[in-house]
Amino acid sequence: MKKKVLVTEPIPQTVIDYLENEVELERWDHSEKMPREQLLEIIPSFHGLITSKDKIDQEFLTRAKQLEAVSNISVGYDNFDVEALKASKIIATHTPYVLDETVADLIFGLILATARRIPELHQYVRNGKWTQSVDSSLFGHNVHHKKLGIIGMGRIGEKVARRAKLGFEMEVSYYNRRKRETVEKSLGVYYEELENLLATSDFILLMTPLTKQTYHLINAKAFQKMKHTCFFINAARGAVVDEKAMIQALEQGDILGAGIDVYEQEPVDLENPLLKMDNVVTLPHIGSATAETREQMKFFAAKNMLQALNGEKPDAQIKELQ
Ligand SMILES: NC(=O)C1=CN([C@@H]2O[C@H](COP(=O)(O)OP(=O)(O)OC[C@H]3O[C@@H](n4cnc5c(N)ncnc54)[C@H](O)[C@@H]3O)[C@@H](O)[C@H]2O)C=CC1
Ligand SMILES: O=C(O)C(=O)CO
C-alpha cells in the first residue's frame, strides 16, 4: 500500500506527478494557510507532511501518530520545534542551496532601492512631481565602495558578499558563529566582532536563522551602536530584530534607512509605522519568490520526502536533527 503524504501549499503539476508516482497525495491548494484545527484533525492518517508555514510543535507531533517525515519548502525552519522533533523519530528536511542566488539578488535589490530611494522616486515621477531636475533633498547615497557588514555569513550571506565584492567593490566584513576562512580567502572578506561591525558599517545585512540565540539579536542597544548614516537590511526573519527598537531608531534618525523583507508579524499589520516611512523599503517576504526558484524548492522538498519515506538519506536533512 502506498504511503500517504499531505501537502499544505499549492505545488506545480510536475511536482504533483512526481509525488503521485510513489505516494497517495492529498493537497491543500490554497494560498491561505490550512486552519490549524483541520491540520490537527487529519494529520493522524499521514506518513509525510510537506509544508512551509505550519507549526511543527509538540501538540502537532502528539497527533501525528504515523508521521515519518516532515519536509519544509524553505531553508529556514523556525516553524519547527527542534527540541520536540529531536525527541521524536520523525525525519525533518528543508531546501538549502537552490534559493541562495535568488535571495542574494533580492537583497541587492533592497540595498540599492533603499540607498538610491528607488520606490520613493518612482512614486515621485508617477505623482507628476517631476517638473524640474531633482534637487539635493532627493539625492540618495552610494553603494559602491562602501562597507557592508553581514551578520550571518552562511550560504546566502556568502552569495551577497560575492556580489558586493566583485560587482560593487565594497569592503565586506562579517560576524558569524564560526569563522569562514575559505570564504575570507576566496572573496577577500574579513571577520569582526559584532560591536565593531555595527559601529563601522554603511550597510548592515542580517542573515542568520531565527533561533533562541538570535531572537531580538538586533535590539535598541545594537541600533544605538550603528552609524547615523547606516542602512539596515533584514532578509532573515522578523523576530531576529526587535521591531519596536528598529522603528524608534528610524524615527530618531539613529540610522538613515531600512530595507525589510520580513516582519515579526506576517502578513504585516497595516498600522505598522514602518509602512509609512519614506526611508523604509518594504517587501512581503519574497526573498526566494521567483517562478523558477519556488518550483525548484517544491521539487526539492518533494524529493526529500520521497527519499525519507523510502528509507534513503534525504539530500537535505536538517543537520541538528540528524
Ligand atoms: N527573506 C527570505 O525570503 C529568505 C530568508 N531566509 C532566512 O535566511 C536564513 C539564512 O539562510 P542560509 O544562509 O541558507 O542559512 P545558513 O545556515 O547557511 O547561514 C546562516 C549563518 O548564520 C550563522 N548563525 C547562526 N546563529 C548565529 C548566531 N547566534 N550568531 C551569529 N551567527 C549565527 C550560522 O553560523 C550560519 O553561517 C534562513 O534561516 C532563513 O530564516 C532564507 C531564504 C529566504
Ligand atoms: O526559505 C526560506 O527560509 C524563506 O524564507 C522563503 O524562501
Side-chain angles (χ1 to χ4, degrees), residues 75-78 94 96-97 99-100 103 106 151-158 175-178 180 206-211 213-214 217 234-237 261-262 285-289 294:
V75 63
Y77 51 90
D78 42 284
H94 65 150
Y97 301 110
L99 43 55
D100 296 351
V103 181
L106 194 273
I151 302 170
M153 180 62 102
R155 290 171 290 256
I156 298 169
E158 185 179 334
Y175 168 72
N176 204 38
R177 248 182 338 196
R178 61 193 166 87
R180 303 281 316 275
L206 189 57
M207 219 53 239
T208 65
L210 171 61
T211 61
Q213 293 72 38
T214 63
L217 175 69
N234 185 9
R237 284 291 184 267
D261 189 36
V262 285
H285 198 151
I286 51 148
S288 64
R294 281 290 166 89

mmCIF file of all heavy atoms in Angstrom, residues 75-78 94 96-97 99-100 103 106 151-158 175-178 180 206-211 213-214 217 234-237 261-262 285-289 294, ligand 1:
data_model
loop_
_atom_site.group_PDB
_atom_site.id
_atom_site.type_symbol
_atom_site.label_atom_id
_atom_site.label_comp_id
_atom_site.label_asym_id
_atom_site.label_seq_id
_atom_site.Cartn_x
_atom_site.Cartn_y
_atom_site.Cartn_z
ATOM 1 N N VAL A 75 14.303 27.183 3.418
ATOM 2 C CA VAL A 75 15.568 26.831 4.072
ATOM 3 C C VAL A 75 15.461 27.081 5.573
ATOM 4 O O VAL A 75 15.953 26.298 6.383
ATOM 5 C CB VAL A 75 16.772 27.562 3.424
ATOM 6 C CG1 VAL A 75 16.692 29.072 3.573
ATOM 7 C CG2 VAL A 75 18.069 27.057 4.004
ATOM 8 N N GLY A 76 14.761 28.166 5.958
ATOM 9 C CA GLY A 76 14.558 28.448 7.376
ATOM 10 C C GLY A 76 13.568 27.445 7.942
ATOM 11 O O GLY A 76 12.618 27.051 7.261
ATOM 12 N N TYR A 77 13.772 27.036 9.183
ATOM 13 C CA TYR A 77 12.846 26.066 9.775
ATOM 14 C C TYR A 77 12.471 26.474 11.205
ATOM 15 O O TYR A 77 12.313 25.647 12.100
ATOM 16 C CB TYR A 77 13.410 24.637 9.710
ATOM 17 C CG TYR A 77 14.818 24.487 10.238
ATOM 18 C CD1 TYR A 77 15.050 24.206 11.573
ATOM 19 C CD2 TYR A 77 15.900 24.646 9.395
ATOM 20 C CE1 TYR A 77 16.344 24.086 12.053
ATOM 21 C CE2 TYR A 77 17.195 24.527 9.862
ATOM 22 C CZ TYR A 77 17.414 24.251 11.188
ATOM 23 O OH TYR A 77 18.697 24.141 11.658
ATOM 24 N N ASP A 78 12.312 27.783 11.373
ATOM 25 C CA ASP A 78 11.911 28.291 12.685
ATOM 26 C C ASP A 78 10.455 27.953 13.003
ATOM 27 O O ASP A 78 10.011 28.164 14.131
ATOM 28 C CB ASP A 78 12.146 29.809 12.765
ATOM 29 C CG ASP A 78 11.723 30.513 11.490
ATOM 30 O OD1 ASP A 78 12.466 30.422 10.491
ATOM 31 O OD2 ASP A 78 10.625 31.099 11.481
ATOM 32 N N HIS A 94 14.724 20.375 4.757
ATOM 33 C CA HIS A 94 14.468 21.749 4.287
ATOM 34 C C HIS A 94 15.086 21.922 2.897
ATOM 35 O O HIS A 94 15.525 20.923 2.299
ATOM 36 C CB HIS A 94 14.976 22.773 5.308
ATOM 37 C CG HIS A 94 16.456 22.783 5.526
ATOM 38 N ND1 HIS A 94 17.162 23.904 5.878
ATOM 39 C CD2 HIS A 94 17.393 21.786 5.414
ATOM 40 C CE1 HIS A 94 18.446 23.620 6.002
ATOM 41 N NE2 HIS A 94 18.607 22.345 5.728
ATOM 42 N N PRO A 96 17.884 24.015 1.378
ATOM 43 C CA PRO A 96 19.019 24.928 1.217
ATOM 44 C C PRO A 96 19.550 24.928 -0.215
ATOM 45 O O PRO A 96 19.146 24.092 -1.028
ATOM 46 C CB PRO A 96 20.062 24.352 2.178
ATOM 47 C CG PRO A 96 19.737 22.899 2.251
ATOM 48 C CD PRO A 96 18.244 22.790 2.095
ATOM 49 N N TYR A 97 20.458 25.833 -0.520
ATOM 50 C CA TYR A 97 21.225 25.951 -1.782
ATOM 51 C C TYR A 97 20.411 26.422 -2.980
ATOM 52 O O TYR A 97 20.836 27.349 -3.666
ATOM 53 C CB TYR A 97 21.940 24.631 -2.148
ATOM 54 C CG TYR A 97 22.895 24.174 -1.073
ATOM 55 C CD1 TYR A 97 22.633 23.049 -0.301
ATOM 56 C CD2 TYR A 97 24.058 24.906 -0.801
ATOM 57 C CE1 TYR A 97 23.491 22.656 0.714
ATOM 58 C CE2 TYR A 97 24.925 24.515 0.209
ATOM 59 C CZ TYR A 97 24.639 23.389 0.960
ATOM 60 O OH TYR A 97 25.488 23.018 1.961
ATOM 61 N N LEU A 99 17.981 28.226 -3.438
ATOM 62 C CA LEU A 99 17.466 29.602 -3.444
ATOM 63 C C LEU A 99 18.520 30.667 -3.185
ATOM 64 O O LEU A 99 18.237 31.861 -3.210
ATOM 65 C CB LEU A 99 16.314 29.731 -2.418
ATOM 66 C CG LEU A 99 16.459 29.083 -1.044
ATOM 67 C CD1 LEU A 99 17.679 29.483 -0.298
ATOM 68 C CD2 LEU A 99 15.234 29.308 -0.223
ATOM 69 N N ASP A 100 19.763 30.234 -2.949
ATOM 70 C CA ASP A 100 20.787 31.193 -2.492
ATOM 71 C C ASP A 100 20.949 32.403 -3.425
ATOM 72 O O ASP A 100 20.952 33.549 -2.982
ATOM 73 C CB ASP A 100 22.158 30.499 -2.365
ATOM 74 C CG ASP A 100 22.166 29.409 -1.307
ATOM 75 O OD1 ASP A 100 21.188 29.284 -0.559
ATOM 76 O OD2 ASP A 100 23.163 28.666 -1.255
ATOM 77 N N VAL A 103 17.823 34.754 -3.533
ATOM 78 C CA VAL A 103 17.670 35.593 -2.341
ATOM 79 C C VAL A 103 18.761 36.686 -2.343
ATOM 80 O O VAL A 103 18.486 37.848 -2.034
ATOM 81 C CB VAL A 103 17.721 34.746 -1.047
ATOM 82 C CG1 VAL A 103 17.544 35.625 0.179
ATOM 83 C CG2 VAL A 103 16.656 33.659 -1.067
ATOM 84 N N LEU A 106 17.712 39.516 -4.553
ATOM 85 C CA LEU A 106 16.674 40.351 -3.923
ATOM 86 C C LEU A 106 17.299 41.266 -2.872
ATOM 87 O O LEU A 106 16.963 42.448 -2.775
ATOM 88 C CB LEU A 106 15.621 39.436 -3.290
ATOM 89 C CG LEU A 106 14.272 39.994 -2.855
ATOM 90 C CD1 LEU A 106 14.279 40.558 -1.446
ATOM 91 C CD2 LEU A 106 13.698 41.043 -3.813
ATOM 92 N N ILE A 151 25.767 39.995 9.039
ATOM 93 C CA ILE A 151 25.592 39.239 10.289
ATOM 94 C C ILE A 151 24.948 37.918 9.902
ATOM 95 O O ILE A 151 23.778 37.873 9.524
ATOM 96 C CB ILE A 151 24.698 40.020 11.270
ATOM 97 C CG1 ILE A 151 25.314 41.395 11.553
ATOM 98 C CG2 ILE A 151 24.492 39.225 12.559
ATOM 99 C CD1 ILE A 151 24.389 42.339 12.320
ATOM 100 N N GLY A 152 25.732 36.829 9.947
ATOM 101 C CA GLY A 152 25.249 35.509 9.491
ATOM 102 C C GLY A 152 25.814 35.202 8.120
ATOM 103 O O GLY A 152 25.135 35.350 7.109
ATOM 104 N N MET A 153 27.099 34.806 8.106
ATOM 105 C CA MET A 153 27.767 34.528 6.824
ATOM 106 C C MET A 153 27.600 33.048 6.495
ATOM 107 O O MET A 153 28.512 32.232 6.637
ATOM 108 C CB MET A 153 29.247 34.897 6.930
ATOM 109 C CG MET A 153 30.040 34.664 5.663
ATOM 110 S SD MET A 153 29.460 35.659 4.295
ATOM 111 C CE MET A 153 30.679 36.948 4.285
ATOM 112 N N GLY A 154 26.401 32.683 6.068
ATOM 113 C CA GLY A 154 26.138 31.308 5.652
ATOM 114 C C GLY A 154 26.058 31.241 4.146
ATOM 115 O O GLY A 154 26.723 32.005 3.440
ATOM 116 N N ARG A 155 25.212 30.318 3.663
ATOM 117 C CA ARG A 155 25.091 30.113 2.207
ATOM 118 C C ARG A 155 24.676 31.407 1.502
ATOM 119 O O ARG A 155 25.277 31.802 0.503
ATOM 120 C CB ARG A 155 24.056 29.019 1.923
ATOM 121 C CG ARG A 155 24.501 27.621 2.321
ATOM 122 C CD ARG A 155 23.349 26.647 2.210
ATOM 123 N NE ARG A 155 22.361 26.896 3.231
ATOM 124 C CZ ARG A 155 22.187 26.155 4.334
ATOM 125 N NH1 ARG A 155 22.893 25.077 4.515
ATOM 126 N NH2 ARG A 155 21.283 26.465 5.233
ATOM 127 N N ILE A 156 23.631 32.067 2.022
ATOM 128 C CA ILE A 156 23.117 33.266 1.333
ATOM 129 C C ILE A 156 24.048 34.460 1.575
ATOM 130 O O ILE A 156 24.377 35.197 0.637
ATOM 131 C CB ILE A 156 21.674 33.574 1.782
ATOM 132 C CG1 ILE A 156 20.759 32.399 1.394
ATOM 133 C CG2 ILE A 156 21.161 34.864 1.139
ATOM 134 C CD1 ILE A 156 19.364 32.436 1.997
ATOM 135 N N GLY A 157 24.500 34.606 2.816
ATOM 136 C CA GLY A 157 25.432 35.692 3.122
ATOM 137 C C GLY A 157 26.624 35.683 2.179
ATOM 138 O O GLY A 157 27.072 36.726 1.686
ATOM 139 N N GLU A 158 27.128 34.490 1.907
ATOM 140 C CA GLU A 158 28.299 34.358 1.024
ATOM 141 C C GLU A 158 27.984 34.849 -0.404
ATOM 142 O O GLU A 158 28.804 35.497 -1.048
ATOM 143 C CB GLU A 158 28.717 32.883 1.012
ATOM 144 C CG GLU A 158 29.961 32.621 0.246
ATOM 145 C CD GLU A 158 30.350 31.141 0.279
ATOM 146 O OE1 GLU A 158 29.998 30.425 1.230
ATOM 147 O OE2 GLU A 158 31.015 30.716 -0.678
ATOM 148 N N TYR A 175 30.072 38.901 10.726
ATOM 149 C CA TYR A 175 30.045 38.336 12.072
ATOM 150 C C TYR A 175 29.263 37.039 11.960
ATOM 151 O O TYR A 175 28.221 36.987 11.307
ATOM 152 C CB TYR A 175 29.353 39.293 13.037
ATOM 153 C CG TYR A 175 29.038 38.664 14.364
ATOM 154 C CD1 TYR A 175 30.055 38.379 15.274
ATOM 155 C CD2 TYR A 175 27.727 38.331 14.698
ATOM 156 C CE1 TYR A 175 29.756 37.766 16.476
ATOM 157 C CE2 TYR A 175 27.432 37.729 15.915
ATOM 158 C CZ TYR A 175 28.453 37.450 16.794
ATOM 159 O OH TYR A 175 28.168 36.838 17.984
ATOM 160 N N ASN A 176 29.767 35.978 12.549
ATOM 161 C CA ASN A 176 29.153 34.664 12.387
ATOM 162 C C ASN A 176 29.463 33.825 13.611
ATOM 163 O O ASN A 176 30.371 34.148 14.381
ATOM 164 C CB ASN A 176 29.760 33.997 11.140
ATOM 165 C CG ASN A 176 28.848 32.957 10.535
ATOM 166 O OD1 ASN A 176 27.640 33.130 10.495
ATOM 167 N ND2 ASN A 176 29.420 31.860 10.069
ATOM 168 N N ARG A 177 28.712 32.700 13.757
ATOM 169 C CA ARG A 177 29.008 31.796 14.861
ATOM 170 C C ARG A 177 30.412 31.239 14.756
ATOM 171 O O ARG A 177 31.088 31.010 15.719
ATOM 172 C CB ARG A 177 28.012 30.635 14.841
ATOM 173 C CG ARG A 177 27.081 30.647 15.995
ATOM 174 C CD ARG A 177 26.158 29.490 15.961
ATOM 175 N NE ARG A 177 26.006 28.928 14.633
ATOM 176 C CZ ARG A 177 25.038 28.101 14.278
ATOM 177 N NH1 ARG A 177 24.152 27.751 15.154
ATOM 178 N NH2 ARG A 177 24.966 27.623 13.061
ATOM 179 N N ARG A 178 30.830 30.971 13.502
ATOM 180 C CA ARG A 178 32.191 30.463 13.330
ATOM 181 C C ARG A 178 32.826 31.179 12.144
ATOM 182 O O ARG A 178 32.118 31.649 11.250
ATOM 183 C CB ARG A 178 32.188 28.943 13.111
ATOM 184 C CG ARG A 178 31.449 28.534 11.898
ATOM 185 C CD ARG A 178 31.170 27.048 11.819
ATOM 186 N NE ARG A 178 30.184 26.833 10.778
ATOM 187 C CZ ARG A 178 30.464 26.668 9.493
ATOM 188 N NH1 ARG A 178 31.709 26.661 9.070
ATOM 189 N NH2 ARG A 178 29.498 26.504 8.624
ATOM 190 N N ARG A 180 34.726 31.803 8.678
ATOM 191 C CA ARG A 180 34.645 31.134 7.378
ATOM 192 C C ARG A 180 35.938 31.439 6.617
ATOM 193 O O ARG A 180 35.971 32.346 5.767
ATOM 194 C CB ARG A 180 33.422 31.651 6.601
ATOM 195 C CG ARG A 180 32.070 31.506 7.288
ATOM 196 C CD ARG A 180 31.494 30.117 7.194
ATOM 197 N NE ARG A 180 31.620 29.516 5.878
ATOM 198 C CZ ARG A 180 30.766 29.701 4.873
ATOM 199 N NH1 ARG A 180 29.713 30.451 5.033
ATOM 200 N NH2 ARG A 180 30.970 29.112 3.698
ATOM 201 N N LEU A 206 21.278 41.519 7.830
ATOM 202 C CA LEU A 206 21.006 40.474 8.806
ATOM 203 C C LEU A 206 20.613 39.202 8.065
ATOM 204 O O LEU A 206 19.649 39.196 7.290
ATOM 205 C CB LEU A 206 19.852 40.944 9.705
ATOM 206 C CG LEU A 206 19.560 40.096 10.916
ATOM 207 C CD1 LEU A 206 20.788 39.949 11.797
ATOM 208 C CD2 LEU A 206 18.430 40.729 11.721
ATOM 209 N N MET A 207 21.341 38.104 8.295
ATOM 210 C CA MET A 207 21.102 36.880 7.520
ATOM 211 C C MET A 207 21.296 35.618 8.345
ATOM 212 O O MET A 207 21.680 34.569 7.820
ATOM 213 C CB MET A 207 22.065 36.898 6.314
ATOM 214 C CG MET A 207 21.491 36.394 5.015
ATOM 215 S SD MET A 207 19.956 37.185 4.537
ATOM 216 C CE MET A 207 18.849 35.796 4.449
ATOM 217 N N THR A 208 21.017 35.701 9.655
ATOM 218 C CA THR A 208 21.085 34.493 10.498
ATOM 219 C C THR A 208 19.720 33.803 10.484
ATOM 220 O O THR A 208 18.710 34.433 10.181
ATOM 221 C CB THR A 208 21.372 34.850 11.974
ATOM 222 O OG1 THR A 208 20.259 35.594 12.477
ATOM 223 C CG2 THR A 208 22.636 35.646 12.144
ATOM 224 N N PRO A 209 19.664 32.538 10.863
ATOM 225 C CA PRO A 209 18.342 31.930 11.091
ATOM 226 C C PRO A 209 17.726 32.517 12.354
ATOM 227 O O PRO A 209 18.436 33.106 13.175
ATOM 228 C CB PRO A 209 18.657 30.449 11.299
ATOM 229 C CG PRO A 209 20.125 30.329 11.436
ATOM 230 C CD PRO A 209 20.773 31.631 11.162
ATOM 231 N N LEU A 210 16.425 32.327 12.529
ATOM 232 C CA LEU A 210 15.773 32.686 13.794
ATOM 233 C C LEU A 210 15.849 31.488 14.727
ATOM 234 O O LEU A 210 15.323 30.407 14.420
ATOM 235 C CB LEU A 210 14.302 33.060 13.546
ATOM 236 C CG LEU A 210 13.435 33.243 14.805
ATOM 237 C CD1 LEU A 210 13.965 34.364 15.692
ATOM 238 C CD2 LEU A 210 11.981 33.518 14.408
ATOM 239 N N THR A 211 16.556 31.669 15.847
ATOM 240 C CA THR A 211 16.685 30.612 16.851
ATOM 241 C C THR A 211 16.512 31.263 18.229
ATOM 242 O O THR A 211 16.380 32.496 18.309
ATOM 243 C CB THR A 211 18.087 29.966 16.806
ATOM 244 O OG1 THR A 211 19.059 30.998 17.104
ATOM 245 C CG2 THR A 211 18.399 29.354 15.458
ATOM 246 N N GLN A 213 18.817 31.699 20.219
ATOM 247 C CA GLN A 213 20.004 32.549 20.408
ATOM 248 C C GLN A 213 19.911 33.848 19.610
ATOM 249 O O GLN A 213 20.495 34.848 19.998
ATOM 250 C CB GLN A 213 21.283 31.816 19.980
ATOM 251 C CG GLN A 213 21.689 30.636 20.828
ATOM 252 C CD GLN A 213 20.789 29.431 20.637
ATOM 253 O OE1 GLN A 213 20.342 29.137 19.530
ATOM 254 N NE2 GLN A 213 20.482 28.739 21.726
ATOM 255 N N THR A 214 19.233 33.828 18.462
ATOM 256 C CA THR A 214 19.220 35.045 17.628
ATOM 257 C C THR A 214 17.960 35.895 17.825
ATOM 258 O O THR A 214 17.864 36.970 17.236
ATOM 259 C CB THR A 214 19.345 34.705 16.119
ATOM 260 O OG1 THR A 214 18.191 33.930 15.728
ATOM 261 C CG2 THR A 214 20.615 33.960 15.804
ATOM 262 N N LEU A 217 18.283 39.624 18.399
ATOM 263 C CA LEU A 217 19.744 39.869 18.399
ATOM 264 C C LEU A 217 20.020 41.348 18.121
ATOM 265 O O LEU A 217 20.924 41.959 18.679
ATOM 266 C CB LEU A 217 20.387 38.988 17.307
ATOM 267 C CG LEU A 217 21.862 39.135 17.034
ATOM 268 C CD1 LEU A 217 22.677 38.604 18.222
ATOM 269 C CD2 LEU A 217 22.271 38.348 15.772
ATOM 270 N N ASN A 234 17.089 43.701 6.540
ATOM 271 C CA ASN A 234 16.723 42.422 7.163
ATOM 272 C C ASN A 234 15.990 41.541 6.157
ATOM 273 O O ASN A 234 14.865 41.837 5.751
ATOM 274 C CB ASN A 234 15.844 42.623 8.401
ATOM 275 C CG ASN A 234 15.565 41.307 9.117
ATOM 276 O OD1 ASN A 234 16.158 40.272 8.780
ATOM 277 N ND2 ASN A 234 14.664 41.330 10.081
ATOM 278 N N ALA A 235 16.668 40.442 5.763
ATOM 279 C CA ALA A 235 16.023 39.440 4.897
ATOM 280 C C ALA A 235 16.058 38.080 5.593
ATOM 281 O O ALA A 235 15.903 37.053 4.953
ATOM 282 C CB ALA A 235 16.726 39.376 3.547
ATOM 283 N N ALA A 236 16.287 38.095 6.916
ATOM 284 C CA ALA A 236 16.409 36.821 7.655
ATOM 285 C C ALA A 236 15.031 36.400 8.163
ATOM 286 O O ALA A 236 14.276 35.718 7.454
ATOM 287 C CB ALA A 236 17.399 37.005 8.791
ATOM 288 N N ARG A 237 14.689 36.823 9.352
ATOM 289 C CA ARG A 237 13.354 36.631 9.909
ATOM 290 C C ARG A 237 13.061 37.859 10.755
ATOM 291 O O ARG A 237 13.977 38.398 11.411
ATOM 292 C CB ARG A 237 13.287 35.379 10.800
ATOM 293 C CG ARG A 237 13.252 34.052 10.043
ATOM 294 C CD ARG A 237 11.940 33.831 9.291
ATOM 295 N NE ARG A 237 11.877 32.535 8.641
ATOM 296 C CZ ARG A 237 12.236 32.299 7.377
ATOM 297 N NH1 ARG A 237 12.696 33.271 6.609
ATOM 298 N NH2 ARG A 237 12.129 31.074 6.879
ATOM 299 N N ASP A 261 12.400 42.694 4.285
ATOM 300 C CA ASP A 261 11.618 41.661 3.584
ATOM 301 C C ASP A 261 10.793 40.839 4.558
ATOM 302 O O ASP A 261 9.931 40.076 4.147
ATOM 303 C CB ASP A 261 12.581 40.745 2.799
ATOM 304 C CG ASP A 261 11.831 39.783 1.877
ATOM 305 O OD1 ASP A 261 10.789 40.188 1.313
ATOM 306 O OD2 ASP A 261 12.279 38.631 1.718
ATOM 307 N N VAL A 262 11.094 40.964 5.862
ATOM 308 C CA VAL A 262 10.485 40.074 6.854
ATOM 309 C C VAL A 262 10.063 40.853 8.095
ATOM 310 O O VAL A 262 10.722 41.814 8.485
ATOM 311 C CB VAL A 262 11.493 38.959 7.246
ATOM 312 C CG1 VAL A 262 11.624 37.919 6.156
ATOM 313 C CG2 VAL A 262 12.853 39.541 7.586
ATOM 314 N N HIS A 285 8.040 39.435 2.179
ATOM 315 C CA HIS A 285 8.759 38.155 2.335
ATOM 316 C C HIS A 285 8.869 37.421 0.991
ATOM 317 O O HIS A 285 8.295 36.346 0.809
ATOM 318 C CB HIS A 285 8.069 37.275 3.385
ATOM 319 C CG HIS A 285 8.962 36.186 3.901
ATOM 320 N ND1 HIS A 285 8.856 35.666 5.158
ATOM 321 C CD2 HIS A 285 9.981 35.488 3.314
ATOM 322 C CE1 HIS A 285 9.752 34.715 5.339
ATOM 323 N NE2 HIS A 285 10.453 34.581 4.211
ATOM 324 N N ILE A 286 9.627 38.033 0.091
ATOM 325 C CA ILE A 286 9.712 37.479 -1.279
ATOM 326 C C ILE A 286 11.140 37.114 -1.677
ATOM 327 O O ILE A 286 11.448 37.004 -2.865
ATOM 328 C CB ILE A 286 9.151 38.452 -2.340
ATOM 329 C CG1 ILE A 286 9.785 39.837 -2.189
ATOM 330 C CG2 ILE A 286 7.637 38.517 -2.279
ATOM 331 C CD1 ILE A 286 9.932 40.583 -3.461
ATOM 332 N N GLY A 287 12.018 36.923 -0.674
ATOM 333 C CA GLY A 287 13.419 36.636 -0.993
ATOM 334 C C GLY A 287 13.616 35.566 -2.057
ATOM 335 O O GLY A 287 14.406 35.724 -2.985
ATOM 336 N N SER A 288 12.875 34.473 -1.937
ATOM 337 C CA SER A 288 13.082 33.363 -2.880
ATOM 338 C C SER A 288 11.972 33.296 -3.928
ATOM 339 O O SER A 288 11.896 32.327 -4.694
ATOM 340 C CB SER A 288 13.120 32.040 -2.118
ATOM 341 O OG SER A 288 11.858 31.798 -1.517
ATOM 342 N N ALA A 289 11.108 34.328 -3.956
ATOM 343 C CA ALA A 289 9.887 34.213 -4.762
ATOM 344 C C ALA A 289 10.078 34.572 -6.241
ATOM 345 O O ALA A 289 9.567 35.584 -6.720
ATOM 346 C CB ALA A 289 8.782 35.053 -4.132
ATOM 347 N N ARG A 294 10.986 29.010 -6.805
ATOM 348 C CA ARG A 294 9.931 28.385 -5.990
ATOM 349 C C ARG A 294 9.608 26.981 -6.511
ATOM 350 O O ARG A 294 9.371 26.058 -5.744
ATOM 351 C CB ARG A 294 8.678 29.267 -5.962
ATOM 352 C CG ARG A 294 8.791 30.414 -4.998
ATOM 353 C CD ARG A 294 8.754 29.941 -3.539
ATOM 354 N NE ARG A 294 9.181 30.967 -2.612
ATOM 355 C CZ ARG A 294 8.380 31.869 -2.055
ATOM 356 N NH1 ARG A 294 7.102 31.878 -2.332
ATOM 357 N NH2 ARG A 294 8.872 32.749 -1.213
HETATM 358 N N1 LIG B 1 13.659 36.555 3.085
HETATM 359 C C1 LIG B 1 13.569 35.354 2.555
HETATM 360 O O1 LIG B 1 12.741 35.085 1.703
HETATM 361 C C2 LIG B 1 14.508 34.286 2.985
HETATM 362 C C3 LIG B 1 15.001 34.254 4.274
HETATM 363 N N2 LIG B 1 15.883 33.275 4.650
HETATM 364 C C4 LIG B 1 16.398 33.274 6.014
HETATM 365 O O2 LIG B 1 17.810 33.326 5.945
HETATM 366 C C5 LIG B 1 18.364 32.414 6.886
HETATM 367 C C6 LIG B 1 19.766 32.043 6.469
HETATM 368 O O3 LIG B 1 19.748 31.174 5.341
HETATM 369 P P1 LIG B 1 21.086 30.437 4.869
HETATM 370 O O4 LIG B 1 22.133 31.424 4.507
HETATM 371 O O5 LIG B 1 20.695 29.418 3.861
HETATM 372 O O6 LIG B 1 21.475 29.697 6.224
HETATM 373 P P2 LIG B 1 22.915 29.225 6.713
HETATM 374 O O7 LIG B 1 22.656 28.289 7.824
HETATM 375 O O8 LIG B 1 23.748 28.800 5.577
HETATM 376 O O9 LIG B 1 23.558 30.593 7.281
HETATM 377 C C7 LIG B 1 23.220 31.166 8.495
HETATM 378 C C8 LIG B 1 24.502 31.635 9.174
HETATM 379 O O10 LIG B 1 24.134 32.280 10.404
HETATM 380 C C9 LIG B 1 25.088 31.895 11.389
HETATM 381 N N3 LIG B 1 24.492 31.983 12.719
HETATM 382 C C10 LIG B 1 23.524 31.187 13.254
HETATM 383 N N4 LIG B 1 23.275 31.566 14.523
HETATM 384 C C11 LIG B 1 24.095 32.598 14.788
HETATM 385 C C12 LIG B 1 24.320 33.403 15.936
HETATM 386 N N5 LIG B 1 23.647 33.205 17.078
HETATM 387 N N6 LIG B 1 25.254 34.372 15.849
HETATM 388 C C13 LIG B 1 25.958 34.550 14.721
HETATM 389 N N7 LIG B 1 25.808 33.824 13.606
HETATM 390 C C14 LIG B 1 24.879 32.864 13.635
HETATM 391 C C15 LIG B 1 25.469 30.459 11.041
HETATM 392 O O11 LIG B 1 26.739 30.129 11.557
HETATM 393 C C16 LIG B 1 25.449 30.496 9.520
HETATM 394 O O12 LIG B 1 26.726 30.761 8.990
HETATM 395 C C17 LIG B 1 17.345 31.267 6.918
HETATM 396 O O13 LIG B 1 17.412 30.548 8.120
HETATM 397 C C18 LIG B 1 16.025 31.992 6.771
HETATM 398 O O14 LIG B 1 15.489 32.322 8.028
HETATM 399 C C19 LIG B 1 16.300 32.337 3.754
HETATM 400 C C20 LIG B 1 15.821 32.316 2.484
HETATM 401 C C21 LIG B 1 14.866 33.276 2.004
#
